[in-house]
Amino acid sequence: MKYYSTNHQAPDASLEEAVVKGLASDKGLYMPEAIKPLPQEFYDQIENLSFQEIAYRVADAFFGEDVPAETLKQIVYDTLSFDVPAVKVKDNIYSLELFHGPTLAFKDVGGRFMARLLGYFIKKEGQKQVNVLVATSGDTGSAVANGFLGVEGIHVYVLYPKGKVSEIQEKQFTTLGQNITALEVDGTFDDCQALVKNAFMDADLNAHMKLTSANSINVARFLPQAFYYFYAYAQLKKEGKADHLVVCVPSGNFGNITAGLFGKRMGLPVKRFIAANNRNDIFYQYLQTGKYNPRPSIATIANAMDVGNPSNFARVLALYDNSYAAITADISGATYTDEQIRETVGEVYRETGYLLDPHGACGYRALSEGLFPCETGIFLETAHPAKFLETVEGIIGDKVEIPAKLQAFMKGTKQRLFDERIAFRNRYLIRKEGAKVQSNYPMVHRRGGLNSYFGLVYIKNKKVPSQQRAHY
């Protein structure tokens, strides 16, 4: 399978090249040249298959030409070591609980799959070190960091916006050590994402470091997210509820809903999709007007959706051949304020006992307001509500039980590590963007003309003491 760039100015790439590079040389996102429909017999029997069996069939359609069958099967089965149940909340509204993985967020699926697939390609190429760059507004960082933790030959750098992720989310990727480095950027998620994208275009940086991305811009991160859409359909079909299925996706960078749209193109019987936004409603405004106007993101209590310039919008356009009419035929939108999100979390908890997280609340509310009588809706509950503890407890006025997995992360402490590769990363951050970077790790200092750049690097608002600088 070949992959083309959404900007159409870069050579086509193999799956291996697309995964290892992450971003095309023209800054475009890779797209598969073909999307293979799955046979009708698969859909006829889908309710009798396990999550892993379903996912392998989908993975084979995407990756089967490039990865040996047994290797691909092992990657899929190792990735999906947890369930993704569809839980009835009220009437014809179901929650697809994507928070039963290691970091209790939907990105465990894509993060774990990518870690295993990239590891396979690294061994195949004989690479000694690949550096994974990832920008996070919350759950991506923890899912990717934990997915790659301890993987030989891979070092992960997580960029996250200062003060804009929850304490639990931050602990999940800043306490790991080993091959994980966290960098706190004094800016927004969009700033972090721009730094990652631009890093791939810096020839000097790439001469020193083999780079790839683990954001949803990487095909190995976003395509596996299609797995759980098929499994959701299978579960609802088993209950006789799948005939007029509407899927609502809390949307930020749009990798998640794009994976669902790929599923629909493969024949998955979804009637329509709803993209639920918080106040960062760029895509909602596009659906209303046909004009795409990115803008700086706004901080909200549904922080993983705080994206002002969704990368995967380019894939949506490519999938629909830039047809506004075709996009709006399949996707509608909704947008909610923090007040409306709080209202929804509280009402649903009081009426049903089901506890939503702020992102899932957007999905639930969009279905409750937009379903027709004959339709069944399922929304993606993208993270466990305990990951937003203060917000959720403040809404419901009650204590939220913290799962043991999260409690283990909360006991960790931020680690300070020395690693010369950080020098290249922060050299890039400072030289290219002038951003102020705060890190959980002491910076290292490179000899030869870069002193002025490192004068701008701070750790916890303090300049790095000279005795903590490592020269090479």
Side-chain angles (χ1 to χ4, degrees):
M1 178 80 75
K2 290 294 184 180
Y3 290 77
Y4 68 90
S5 168
T6 53
N7 286 341
H8 302 287
Q9 300 298 315
D12 289 350
S14 66
L15 173 65
E16 185 173 341
E17 290 169 334
V19 172
V20 174
K21 288 180 180 178
L23 195 68
S25 58
D26 62 356
K27 294 189 178 184
L29 278 64
Y30 284 116
M31 286 278 286
E33 64 179 2
I35 300 174
K36 299 177 182 178
L38 292 169
Q40 186 58 45
E41 63 184 52
F42 169 70
Y43 296 106
D44 291 342
Q45 300 296 323
I46 193 170
E47 69 272 24
N48 300 319
L49 302 177
S50 69
F51 187 17
Q52 291 89 346
E53 289 170 332
I54 291 169
Y56 174 67
R57 291 290 300 274
V58 178
D60 183 61
F62 286 137
F63 310 117
E65 294 181 17
D66 304 285
V67 183
E70 283 305 310
T71 300
L72 183 59
K73 189 172 185 178
Q74 182 178 354
I75 289 172
V76 169
Y77 277 63
D78 285 350
T79 296
L80 303 177
S81 59
F82 51 90
D83 195 20
V84 178
V87 178
K88 186 174 182 177
V89 179
K90 187 179 181 182
D91 301 328
N92 279 347
I93 299 179
Y94 288 76
S95 167
L96 186 66
E97 293 187 344
L98 298 171
F99 54 70
H100 295 281
T103 70
L104 286 77
F106 79 94
K107 293 170 183 177
D108 281 324
V109 173
R112 286 164 63 82
F113 185 93
M114 182 187 170
R116 286 153 178 79
L117 185 61
L118 183 58
Y120 163 74
F121 284 138
I122 287 173
K123 288 181 181 178
K124 182 182 174 185
E125 290 184 358
Q127 294 278 348
K128 291 184 177 179
Q129 181 72 47
V130 171
N131 300 280
V132 175
L133 309 182
V134 58
T136 185
S137 56
D139 289 323
T140 296
S142 56
V144 169
N146 284 271
F148 281 93
L149 183 64
V151 176
E152 187 177 353
I154 298 176
H155 196 103
V156 177
Y157 296 88
V158 181
L159 284 75
Y160 67 104
K162 178 182 178 182
K164 294 180 175 65
V165 302
S166 73
E167 181 185 3
I168 290 177
Q169 288 174 319
E170 185 180 19
K171 285 271 190 176
Q172 286 185 305
F173 57 81
T174 60
T175 63
L176 300 174
Q178 298 186 53
N179 60 325
I180 310 299
T181 296
L183 294 170
E184 185 178 58
V185 177
D186 191 7
T188 66
F189 168 76
D190 293 320
D191 297 323
C192 296
Q193 183 164 253
L195 290 167
V196 168
K197 285 184 175 181
N198 290 336
F200 294 107
M201 303 301 117
D202 187 297
D204 187 33
L205 182 69
N206 280 266
H208 289 99
M209 301 176 75
K210 182 78 171 179
L211 301 179
T212 190
S213 174
N215 281 92
S216 56
I217 60 176
N218 195 304
V219 294
R221 239 296 308 279
F222 102 90
L223 284 176
Q225 293 173 168
F227 298 163
Y228 44 73
Y229 288 92
F230 288 85
Y231 186 47
Y233 171 76
Q235 293 179 76
L236 292 180
K237 187 183 179 197
K238 202 167 189 175
E239 293 192 19
K241 292 284 190 177
D243 287 343
H244 302 281
L245 182 60
V246 178
V247 179
C248 185
V249 186
S251 298
N253 213 22
F254 275 77
N256 208 0
I257 194 168
T258 303
L261 296 171
F262 268 64
K264 182 174 174 63
R265 190 64 60 91
M266 296 170 76
L268 182 64
V270 174
K271 182 178 179 182
R272 60 189 177 94
F273 286 85
I274 302 175
N277 291 149
N278 56 22
R279 287 183 62 206
N280 296 280
D281 61 351
I282 292 82
F283 187 73
Y284 176 81
Q285 295 301 329
Y286 166 79
L287 293 175
Q288 305 308 307
T289 66
K291 297 178 181 179
Y292 180 69
N293 295 309
R295 62 175 186 267
S297 58
I298 302 167
T300 75
I301 61 172
N303 64 288
M305 295 154 58
D306 293 349
V307 182
N309 188 11
S311 290
N312 287 286
F313 180 70
R315 284 194 171 115
V316 175
L317 290 178
L319 189 63
Y320 288 92
D321 295 322
N322 293 287
S323 170
Y324 172 73
I327 291 171
T328 53
D330 277 353
I331 315 169
S332 61
T335 178
Y336 299 107
T337 64
D338 281 359
E339 182 180 353
Q340 290 172 311
I341 294 170
R342 288 190 178 95
E343 181 181 271
T344 304
V345 172
E347 285 183 359
V348 172
Y349 183 67
R350 287 191 300 271
E351 293 176 7
T352 70
Y354 191 86
L355 185 57
L356 298 163
D357 93 292
H359 309 79
C362 295
Y364 174 89
R365 183 156 181 159
L367 289 175
S368 67
E369 294 176 348
L371 278 182
F372 294 110
C374 64
E375 295 176 330
T376 297
I378 188 165
F379 66 93
L380 274 53
E381 182 50 285
T382 54
H384 195 286
K387 298 190 78 170
F388 312 94
L389 199 62
E390 290 185 13
T391 297
V392 174
E393 287 184 344
I395 294 170
I396 66 174
D398 200 357
K399 288 290 182 182
V400 175
E401 183 178 354
I402 302 176
K405 293 174 186 176
L406 286 185
Q407 290 181 28
F409 284 114
M410 292 303 292
K411 292 175 183 177
T413 56
K414 295 180 183 179
Q415 301 183 38
R416 293 173 179 264
L417 301 176
F418 289 90
D419 191 319
E420 69 181 23
R421 284 161 295 203
I422 301 172
F424 294 115
R425 189 72 198 112
N426 288 292
R427 173 192 176 193
Y428 176 79
L429 287 167
I430 300 306
R431 180 165 61 86
K432 289 293 181 182
E433 301 293 335
K436 187 169 79 172
V437 180
Q438 299 173 342
S439 174
N440 300 308
Y441 305 90
M443 299 300 163
V444 298
H445 181 74
R446 184 180 182 187
R447 291 181 179 181
L450 294 175
N451 295 17
S452 59
Y453 300 132
F454 280 85
L456 296 176
V457 177
Y458 288 73
I459 299 175
K460 293 186 176 178
N461 297 318
K462 295 181 181 180
K463 288 185 180 180
V464 181
S466 58
Q467 64 270 23
Q468 289 187 349
R469 292 175 179 168
H471 295 268
Y472 64 97

